[in-house]
Amino acid sequence: MFYDDGIYLALAKSLAQGHGYHLQYLPGAPASVHYPFGYPLFLALLWKIWPAFPANVSLFRTANAVLMGIGSALLVMHLAPRLALPKWLTALAVVLAATAIPMVAVATVLFSEPLFIVLAAAAVWAADAALTAEGRRGLVLAILTGLLAGLAALTRTIGITVIGGVVLSLALARRNRQTVAAAVTAIIPLIPWLMFSSLHHGEVDPLTASNYGTYGDFMRQSGASWISLTSLSEIVRPLAAITMPPVPAILRFVLGLIALIVLLVGMVELTKRARAAGWMLWCYVAVVAVWPYTPDRFLWGVLPWVAVAFGAGVQRLAVARWPLAASLPPAASRRLPASLAWLSAAAVAIGFAIFQVRGYSIRGATSVQTGISATMNEILPWIRTATDTTAVIAGEDEALVWLYTGRHAVPSYLWRVRGRDAESFGADSLHAWLERSGATHLIMTGPGSDAAPTIDQLISRRPGYLQLIRVWPGNMLAFRIQRGA
């Protein structure tokens, strides 16, 4: 498990066992107001079918794989008939995106992207169908569009862009009744969540707002410090990482710039031929560009649409005339954009192939899970045997600790956003949090962990407060917290 997926599963267990939408692993079991309950509710239904943990994790992972297949099929069936690309090429673009290492990494843990892709693909398909339907059928499709878009937003907060995309596409087409119907029905699934989070967000400790607070809490705490030219340019980095070939930096920059132009042309082309899908993608990218977190994981949620848009851009430029070359002979004015398009396509194909081959050869899709498992396989047995059931463990992956040991657990790294980076609240805040949460033990998974510098400061400032009681290979440490020391 990474982090979010452990929280999703902990919330699913709480729902399935009748404890409500609460973080059972935190002392006092506060309500969860950060993660919409769409995906945890889906997992809770599966938990009811197979309640034996951890064996049932295989069911959850299988469900994610099935959802990826369904989402990919919906994408192809929606977009292939509408684009100028050959249908097989649209399908190939979707399949390559769905099996890209970042997407496999997302689908093989309990992240919400696969369910989001299904709901978003269905919503934009229904919206594009509503744009060509008349009368009662158009209204029914608009209502279906709104409902699916609302469920997408209930699965991932950034799914609000699906609502924005489908409503915008209907509004720009001057389908007024359908616009209102889609907008109203999109809000309906969100009402319980908005009421719940508004009622309970005061239960979240201010020091953990970045982990567990609402996005309103988060933004009040960090301000708008993440919005800058650097943050806007950051959005292209993850895409370049998986598509650009290993060439000298200046050539990589030029190829990346051309590929970005091709992608933007393709997004315009997608918007012309599948309006709802295109406007959803524009809205999504715009939000990710100013999102306070690094954009990597958020981009993977729309990677299949990005792949199709890039293909549409290549196709469009391959047959286009370049306006700036109007003084050239017609053949030359067509040849220039076509040459750039095919050069970009070749560079992306080579870069992506190299990335995939290298990544799969080292099992890159599961490397993070493997690393976390190797660490926790050392620590979890010790927690089960060396602490009693009343212990409160401060450390990383607190939901994971609770799921596998039954001990309450709290985060040991307290942070806020500064720019696009995380900034620790410092040793005094950590001490106050450990006291307030009733933590009895603290686990540090190594000197490279986010919490390590702050823990070092705490040891220096309060000698004797953390008593070292266990050392594992790799300088993983366990401390007993000595109150009053």
Side-chain angles (χ1 to χ4, degrees):
M1 296 188 179
F2 289 90
Y3 186 81
D4 289 8
D5 56 339
I7 297 175
Y8 286 142
L9 191 54
L11 289 169
K13 180 180 179 180
S14 180
L15 287 170
Q17 295 181 345
H19 300 299
Y21 201 58
H22 291 266
L23 299 163
Q24 296 291 316
Y25 55 87
L26 294 178
S32 175
V33 296
H34 185 80
Y35 301 87
F37 50 70
Y39 187 59
L41 182 59
F42 172 76
L43 292 178
L45 296 174
L46 297 179
W47 191 293
K48 283 287 191 181
I49 296 171
W50 189 0
F53 179 82
N56 56 5
V57 172
S58 61
L59 173 62
F60 307 144
R61 286 161 58 96
T62 300
N64 261 11
V66 171
L67 289 170
M68 281 298 297
I70 294 172
S72 299
L74 291 172
L75 270 159
V76 173
M77 289 188 291
H78 171 215
L79 298 178
R82 288 172 167 80
L83 298 177
L85 289 169
K87 293 182 180 180
W88 67 267
L89 195 54
T90 302
L92 179 63
V94 171
V95 168
L96 289 175
T99 54
I101 285 174
M103 290 296 288
V104 176
V106 162
T108 52
V109 294
L110 304 182
F111 278 178
S112 58
E113 276 82 348
L115 180 59
F116 168 78
I117 288 173
V118 170
L119 294 169
V124 296
W125 190 359
D128 279 329
L131 285 169
T132 59
E134 301 295 338
R136 184 176 180 181
R137 182 172 182 272
L139 194 60
V140 169
L141 285 170
I143 292 171
L144 177 61
T145 294
L147 180 61
L148 290 167
L151 291 175
L154 196 60
T155 301
R156 297 182 71 208
T157 302
I158 199 170
I160 195 76
T161 57
V162 181
I163 298 177
V166 299
V167 171
L168 188 59
S169 66
L170 292 168
L172 291 175
R174 298 182 179 180
R175 298 293 186 108
N176 297 334
R177 290 181 63 205
Q178 291 165 303
T179 301
V180 173
V184 170
T185 52
I187 295 172
I188 291 173
L190 297 178
I191 291 174
W193 166 243
L194 294 173
M195 292 177 62
F196 180 86
S197 58
S198 176
L199 184 64
H200 291 283
H201 83 94
E203 299 176 21
V204 178
D205 192 294
L207 287 176
T208 64
S210 297
N211 304 70
Y212 298 114
T214 65
Y215 283 103
D217 297 331
F218 182 90
M219 291 177 182
R220 281 191 294 272
Q221 185 185 78
S222 60
S225 61
W226 69 83
I227 301 177
S228 66
L229 291 177
T230 302
S231 68
L232 293 174
S233 64
E234 179 77 356
I235 193 172
V236 301
R237 178 188 49 77
L239 295 177
I242 69 172
T243 58
M244 288 292 101
V247 294
I250 184 63
L251 181 56
R252 183 181 173 89
F253 173 80
V254 171
L255 290 173
L257 183 60
I258 295 172
L260 179 59
I261 293 170
V262 173
L263 175 59
L264 293 174
V265 170
M267 289 173 63
V268 172
E269 187 71 8
L270 178 64
T271 307
K272 289 179 181 177
R273 295 177 177 270
R275 293 184 187 178
W279 283 117
M280 182 275 290
L281 187 56
W282 284 111
C283 291
Y284 193 101
V285 170
V287 170
V288 171
V290 296
W291 203 248
Y293 300 102
T294 53
D296 303 55
R297 181 188 161 191
F298 297 98
L299 280 177
W300 310 144
V302 290
L303 188 60
W305 283 279
V306 171
V308 171
F310 181 79
V314 172
Q315 191 279 334
R316 181 70 184 89
L317 290 172
V319 298
R321 290 189 64 180
W322 195 28
L324 297 180
S327 59
L328 298 175
S333 66
R334 285 194 299 268
R335 205 173 291 136
L336 183 58
S339 298
L340 292 176
W342 291 119
L343 172 64
S344 179
V348 167
I350 292 170
F352 183 74
I354 292 172
F355 176 82
Q356 289 287 90
V357 170
R358 284 180 177 175
Y360 275 111
S361 67
I362 61 171
R363 300 185 177 182
T366 55
S367 60
V368 176
Q369 300 98 300
T370 302
I372 292 175
S373 295
T375 298
M376 288 300 177
N377 281 339
E378 296 281 343
I379 294 172
L380 295 177
W382 179 85
I383 293 176
R384 284 192 293 264
T385 58
T387 67
D388 60 38
T389 56
T390 62
V392 178
I393 311 299
E396 302 164 54
D397 302 309
E398 52 270 21
L400 177 61
V401 170
W402 176 73
L403 285 166
Y404 284 92
T405 69
R407 306 301 189 265
H408 284 100
V410 298
S412 61
Y413 182 55
L414 309 174
W415 58 280
R416 59 189 167 194
V417 164
R418 282 295 176 265
R420 286 255 176 168
D421 298 319
E423 176 187 77
S424 171
F425 277 113
D428 291 338
S429 292
L430 176 59
H431 174 260
W433 165 247
L434 295 175
E435 292 289 301
R436 195 154 62 236
S437 64
T440 59
H441 297 77
L442 186 146
I443 305 293
M444 191 176 80
T445 57
S449 66
D450 291 332
T454 308
I455 294 171
D456 283 344
Q457 292 174 12
L458 181 58
I459 291 171
S460 299
R461 292 187 184 186
R462 297 179 180 272
Y465 183 68
L466 298 180
Q467 178 190 4
L468 183 64
I469 56 176
R470 180 65 189 262
V471 180
W472 291 276
N475 287 325
M476 297 188 295
L477 310 174
F479 299 91
R480 181 180 290 113
I481 295 174
Q482 303 285 91
R483 283 181 170 73

